[in-house]
Amino acid sequence: MPEVKAHQIVLAARPQGRPKPTDFRLEDTPIPTPSEGQILLKVQYLSLDPYMRGRMDDRKSYAEPVPLGGVMQGESVATVIASKHPNYSEGTIVLAHTGWRTHALSDRADLRKLDPAVAPVTTGLGVLGMPGFTAYGGLRVIGKPKPAETVVVAAASGPVGSLVGQLAKMGGARAVGIAGGAEKCAYVKDELRFDAVIDHRDSDFAARLAAACPNRIDVYFENVGGAIWQAVLPLLNNFARVPVSGLIAQYNDVGKGDGTDRLPATMREILSKSLTVRGFINYEFAAEYYPAFLHEVGAGIADGRIRYREDIVNGFENAPEAFIGMLEGRNFGKLIVRVGV
Ligand SMILES: NC(=O)c1ccc[n+]([C@@H]2O[C@H](COP(=O)([O-])OP(=O)(O)OC[C@H]3O[C@@H](n4cnc5c(N)ncnc54)[C@H](OP(=O)(O)O)[C@@H]3O)[C@@H](O)[C@H]2O)c1
C-alpha cells in the first residue's frame, strides 16, 4: 500500500442556504505518481472564490456542478515536484486548476508559469489572475468609463472591486466604492484612493450613496446584487452601463427570495434609461485581452499605482470555514489558503 500523505476536500452534502462545515469532507489519499507526459504538483496556495458556491448546487449554470463526493474545484499556485513532461522541470511554480487538493497530477502543456521575481506568486490568484482579469475585462469591454464619469462598485476591498475602482481612476473617472464595515471602508478610501466609499451596513446606506454620487452613476460594476442593486438602480444615468460580474448577496438564497418581484420596475429602468446590462464570465474576454491585462496591471503593481490586499489563511483543513466566512464578508482582501503540507 502506498503511504497516505496527500489530502483533498470533497463536497459531502449540497448546502441548503449558507454552507456548513459538514457540507465538506477532508480525505486522505495516496500521493499520485506521474505517468509519461504528466507532472506532479504540490499545492502551495489554494484560491477561494465566490463562484465555488454555485458549483455546490445542482442547478444549471455556465459550468457543471461538483458531484457529491467530488473534489471541490479551484485554482492554485503549485510547485512541480516530479516531472515527466518536457515543458516543466522540478521546482517550476505554476498556476493550475488542481481543485481543493494538496497534490495533483497534470498533463497540461499550457499551465501559466509564475516567476516570483516578477511579482509575489499569490498575485496569480488575485490581482494578476482570474479576479483581476474579471475587473479588467468587465470594465474594458462593457463598462467603458469615460473621464469624469462616475463608476460604482461593491465588494470594493476584494480582488475584483478593488481593481475596478483603481482602473476607473487611472482612466480619469470618479470611483465610488461600497464595502462592509469601517475598516474595509478606510482601506478603500485611504489605501486604494477611491474618491468616496459607503458602508452598505449603514441604515441610511441608500441616501449616503446618492450623496456620494452627485452626478449620479454612469457605470455600476455589479458584484453583489440584492439591496445594493436596489439602491443603485434609481441613481443610474441614461445610457449607464452595468457589467454584471457577480451576485454574491444572493448565492446562499434558497427559493425565490423575499417574494417581492422587482423585475417589472427593473425592466422599466432598463428601457426608459437605455441601460446596457450585460452579464459576463471573465474567460469570454481572455483571447483578446489577457496579454494586455497582464502587461498593464503588472506594470501598475510594479510601480505602485495599483495596490492590492490578500487575506491568507493558514492550513488546508481551514479552507471550508474560510470559504463560508467569505460569503458573509469575513475576508478582507483576496482570500487564499496557505496549504503548507
Ligand atoms: N463573472 C466573472 O467572471 C467573475 C469572476 C470572479 C468573481 N466574480 C464575482 O465578483 C464578485 C466579487 O468577487 P471577489 O473574488 O472579488 O471576492 P470578494 O470581494 O472577496 O467577495 C467577498 C466579498 O463580498 C462581499 N459580500 C458578501 N456578501 C455580501 C452581501 N450580502 N452584501 C454585500 N456584500 C457582500 C463582502 O465584502 P464586504 O464586507 O465589503 O461587503 C465579501 O468580503 C463576486 O460576486 C464574484 O462571484 C465574477
Side-chain angles (χ1 to χ4, degrees):
M1 283 285 287
E3 198 184 344
V4 172
K5 275 191 193 148
H7 307 285
Q8 61 186 23
I9 294 174
V10 303
L11 180 65
R14 298 211 182 273
Q16 301 300 314
R18 177 185 186 269
K20 302 185 294 299
T22 49
D23 295 333
F24 304 86
R25 186 172 59 244
L26 178 65
E27 295 181 343
D28 295 339
T29 62
I31 294 179
T33 308
S35 315
E36 213 48 52
Q38 290 186 320
I39 53 175
L40 175 61
L41 297 169
K42 183 176 173 190
V43 173
Q44 293 180 26
Y45 296 99
L46 171 67
S47 182
L48 296 178
D49 296 277
Y51 76 83
M52 296 166 176
R53 176 64 186 85
R55 305 281 164 92
M56 299 174 81
D57 289 333
D58 187 12
R59 69 175 163 222
K60 197 167 158 38
S61 185
Y62 63 92
E64 291 295 313
V66 175
L68 277 179
V71 177
M72 288 291 295
Q73 292 169 10
E75 212 177 5
S76 65
V77 170
T79 307
V80 177
I81 57 169
S83 179
K84 291 191 173 174
H85 192 295
N87 292 7
Y88 301 97
S89 53
E90 281 177 36
T92 305
I93 302 172
V94 296
L95 205 57
H97 285 274
T98 56
W100 294 23
R101 288 186 173 92
T102 58
H103 297 74
L105 290 177
S106 175
D107 55 9
R108 296 275 298 261
D110 59 348
L111 296 177
R112 195 173 128 202
K113 294 180 185 173
L114 298 173
D115 181 352
V118 172
V121 289
T122 47
T123 58
L125 301 174
V127 66
L128 278 176
M130 185 278 286
F133 184 61
T134 300
Y136 184 92
L139 211 54
R140 178 113 188 221
V141 180
I142 306 168
K144 297 183 182 153
K146 300 184 193 72
E149 284 191 334
T150 298
V151 176
V152 173
V153 65
S157 69
V160 177
S162 60
L163 190 57
V164 166
Q166 292 182 91
L167 289 175
K169 276 198 74 72
M170 286 163 70
R174 187 163 178 276
V176 177
I178 298 168
E183 205 187 351
K184 287 184 181 178
C185 287
Y187 168 74
V188 170
K189 184 85 171 50
D190 302 339
E191 296 284 322
L192 301 180
R193 298 167 285 197
F194 280 40
D195 296 284
V197 62
I198 318 293
D199 188 340
H200 65 82
R201 296 187 200 149
D202 282 345
S203 55
D204 55 351
F205 161 70
R208 284 175 186 251
L209 181 64
C213 302
N215 298 325
R216 299 160 70 92
I217 299 171
D218 302 293
V219 178
Y220 173 57
F221 194 103
E222 174 63 296
N223 275 336
V224 168
I228 293 178
W229 167 241
Q230 295 308 326
V232 163
L233 186 60
L235 300 177
L236 292 173
N237 282 324
N238 289 349
F239 304 106
R241 286 81 67 200
V242 182
V244 182
S245 152
L247 300 167
I248 192 167
Q250 301 170 202
Y251 291 171
N252 284 338
D253 283 357
V254 181
K256 293 188 174 159
D258 64 3
T260 313
D261 180 5
R262 298 192 179 93
L263 189 60
T266 305
M267 295 303 279
R268 193 166 53 241
E269 296 282 305
I270 290 173
L271 172 62
S272 64
K273 292 181 174 170
S274 304
L275 304 179
T276 298
V277 180
R278 186 188 153 183
F280 70 100
I281 307 298
N282 64 87
Y283 50 70
E284 291 165 26
F285 308 135
E288 196 172 351
Y289 291 101
Y290 212 85
F293 155 70
L294 285 180
H295 179 75
E296 285 175 39
V297 177
I301 289 170
D303 66 19
R305 278 174 304 144
I306 293 177
R307 299 178 180 183
Y308 63 95
R309 181 179 175 115
E310 296 173 337
D311 184 344
I312 299 187
V313 172
N314 283 317
F316 183 67
E317 67 285 0
N318 295 320
E321 197 56 55
F323 176 72
I324 292 167
M326 177 180 61
L327 298 170
E328 297 165 357
R330 272 190 267 138
N331 65 308
F332 188 179
K334 170 65 198 135
L335 185 58
I336 294 170
V337 175
R338 185 185 282 116
V339 170
V341 283

